[in-house]
């Protein structure tokens, strides 16, 4: 038999293999596109949900991703970041993850940097004009016969409900059995999700690089590209909305795709702050 005839089966097999590899590559590319579209859709729904819940100015709110704290007042976030509640959340994260002191200091500085970035954004944006325009249209179409007025309310995150901004109404809500029950459950939820949020933030490649700078005594938050900041904020937002249950007081192993943090745990206090998670908002 001629050598060309003998080579045909091998060539056919090679072509078939190449087609298979090519098809797998196409499938992987399509899967990545599908995941990207799903992620964008998830982000779009989250923006709509936040806009509906907090108003169009929700991006101007000061937040602590670990404690689920949100406020539109700069002084409130400053107090929170120095509060016992915030420190106890960090202590719980360290107790569960065994991160060392430098890592915990870095995580705290991430929230401080987030606060500073929001402050700069509020100064630089035209949000005030946009808010005034939105306020003008808020009651558009409302007549005297609709009996509607704009009022100030207090939002209770633990109960996910709004309470009239009246002393009697707030006190009644605080003393209600439903709030007492929800407050305890919400506190446990914050504990669980704070661990997830912290580890997710540290798994972000951009944050990993910042941590390496921080560990060397450098300031990793100076001269940060806006695209990098946006990527980190998106990652935080995605993870803080996920619900993952961790067994209480059980160390969680986060070894996959993480920075190698040496274990140097110190004695920690439990998350036992008797705090009401209530923020004031204007509707």
């Amino acid at each position: 038999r001629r050598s060309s005839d003998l080579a045909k089966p091998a060539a056919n097999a090679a072509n078939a293999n190449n087609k298979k590899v090519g098809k797998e590559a196409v499938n992987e590319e399509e899967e990545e596109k599908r995941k990207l579209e799903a992620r964008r859709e998830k982000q779009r729904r989250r923006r709509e949900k936040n806009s509906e819940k907090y108003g169009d100015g929700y991006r101007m709110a000061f937040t602590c991703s670990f404690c689920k704290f949100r406020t539109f007042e700069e002084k409130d976030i400053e107090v929170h970041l120095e509060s016992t509640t915030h420190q106890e959340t960090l202590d719980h994260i360290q107790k569960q993850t065994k991160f060392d002191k430098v890592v915990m200091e870095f995580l705290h500085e991430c929230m401080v940097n987030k606060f500073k970035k929001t402050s700069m954004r509020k100064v630089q944006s035209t949000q005030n004009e946009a808010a005034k325009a939105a306020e003008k249209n808020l009651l558009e179409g409302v007549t005297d016969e609709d009996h509607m007025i704009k009022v100030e309310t207090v939002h209770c995150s633990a109960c996910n409900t709004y309470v009239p901004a009246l002393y009697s109404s707030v006190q009644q809500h605080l003393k209600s059995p439903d709030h007492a029950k929800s407050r305890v459950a919400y506190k446990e939820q914050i504990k669980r999700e704070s661990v997830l949020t912290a580890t997710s933030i540290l798994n972000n490649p951009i944050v990993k690089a910042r941590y390496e700078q921080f560990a060397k005594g450098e300031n990793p938050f100076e001269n940060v590209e806006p695209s990098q900041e946006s990527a980190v904020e998106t990652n935080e937002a995605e993870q803080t909305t996920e619900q993952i249950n961790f067994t209480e007081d059980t160390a969680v192993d986060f070894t996959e795709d993480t920075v190698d943090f040496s274990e140097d745990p110190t004695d920690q206090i439990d998350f036992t702050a008797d705090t009401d998670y209530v923020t004031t908002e204007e509707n």
Side-chain angles (χ1 to χ4, degrees):
R1 299 174 62 180
R2 289 181 298 181
S3 59
S4 59
D5 293 335
L6 296 173
K8 285 182 179 179
N12 292 336
N15 289 335
N17 185 59
N18 289 337
K19 289 181 180 179
K20 181 179 179 181
V21 172
K23 186 176 181 180
E24 290 177 352
V26 170
N27 290 339
E28 289 180 1
E29 184 177 350
E30 290 178 350
E31 180 65 15
E32 286 299 320
K33 289 182 179 179
R34 187 191 66 78
K35 289 181 178 179
L36 178 61
E37 290 299 322
R39 191 180 306 117
R40 287 176 176 171
E41 177 63 19
K42 184 178 180 181
Q43 293 172 1
R44 184 189 66 79
R45 291 198 302 268
R46 184 184 302 110
R47 284 194 297 268
E48 291 180 352
K49 181 179 178 180
N50 286 336
S51 181
E52 179 182 347
K53 184 175 181 179
Y54 300 110
D56 292 334
Y58 77 93
R59 291 189 71 248
M60 295 298 119
F62 300 102
T63 62
C64 173
S65 301
F66 304 133
C67 304
K68 289 186 174 292
F69 180 85
R70 175 181 291 269
T71 179
F72 289 97
E73 299 297 328
E74 187 169 328
K75 65 179 184 298
D76 290 343
I77 189 66
E78 289 178 334
V79 170
H80 170 75
L81 292 174
E82 298 296 328
S83 69
T84 302
T85 300
H86 178 70
Q87 186 57 51
E88 288 177 342
T89 304
L90 295 178
D91 289 342
H92 175 75
I93 293 171
Q94 186 175 33
K95 181 179 179 180
Q96 294 294 311
T97 61
K98 309 302 181 186
F99 288 156
D100 65 20
K101 183 179 179 181
V102 177
V103 179
M104 300 311 302
E105 290 176 351
F106 173 71
L107 288 174
H108 172 72
E109 287 302 318
C110 285
M111 293 302 104
V112 173
N113 176 66
K114 188 178 181 181
F115 151 53
K116 292 179 179 179
K117 291 294 183 181
T118 304
S119 295
M120 293 173 59
R121 188 185 299 145
K122 289 172 76 76
V123 172
Q124 296 171 357
S125 76
T126 57
Q127 187 65 36
N128 289 335
E129 287 98 12
K132 291 178 181 178
E135 185 174 350
K136 291 180 181 179
N137 299 327
L138 182 64
L139 297 178
E140 183 176 347
V142 176
T143 66
D144 293 342
E145 295 180 355
D146 294 307
H147 309 289
M148 297 172 61
I149 60 173
K150 179 182 176 182
V151 298
E152 185 179 2
T153 63
V154 174
H155 179 250
C156 176
S157 297
C159 302
N160 192 25
T161 188
Y162 289 92
V163 181
L166 300 171
Y167 178 81
S168 58
S169 298
V170 173
Q171 292 302 310
Q172 181 180 6
H173 179 75
L174 284 175
K175 297 173 183 178
S176 67
D178 287 343
H179 176 72
K181 182 178 179 180
S182 298
R183 189 180 67 175
V184 173
Y186 192 61
K187 215 180 283 188
E188 292 301 313
Q189 178 183 335
I190 290 174
K191 287 172 63 176
R192 293 192 301 270
E193 296 186 4
S194 66
V195 178
L196 171 65
T197 301
T199 53
S200 175
I201 289 174
L202 291 171
N203 284 341
N204 185 292
I206 297 173
V207 178
K208 284 184 180 182
R210 290 183 186 178
Y211 169 75
E212 292 173 359
Q213 289 181 277
F214 185 84
K216 295 176 183 177
E218 302 173 5
N219 185 352
F221 303 110
E222 291 181 339
N223 304 320
V224 177
E225 292 291 333
S227 59
Q228 289 188 354
E229 201 68 47
S230 177
V232 173
E233 290 180 0
T234 299
N235 181 68
E236 284 184 36
E238 287 180 351
Q239 294 304 323
T240 52
T241 56
E242 299 293 335
Q243 304 292 323
I244 292 185
N245 293 324
F246 296 111
T247 303
E248 185 174 349
D249 292 331
T250 300
V252 184
D253 184 17
F254 297 98
T255 56
E256 183 178 354
D257 193 27
T258 59
V259 182
D260 182 19
F261 301 122
S262 59
E263 295 186 2
D264 183 23
T266 57
D267 292 336
Q268 305 301 327
I269 55 177
D270 292 329
F271 190 99
T272 54
D274 188 19
T275 305
D276 294 319
Y277 297 90
V278 181
T279 56
T280 303
E281 299 174 5
E282 186 175 324
N283 275 1

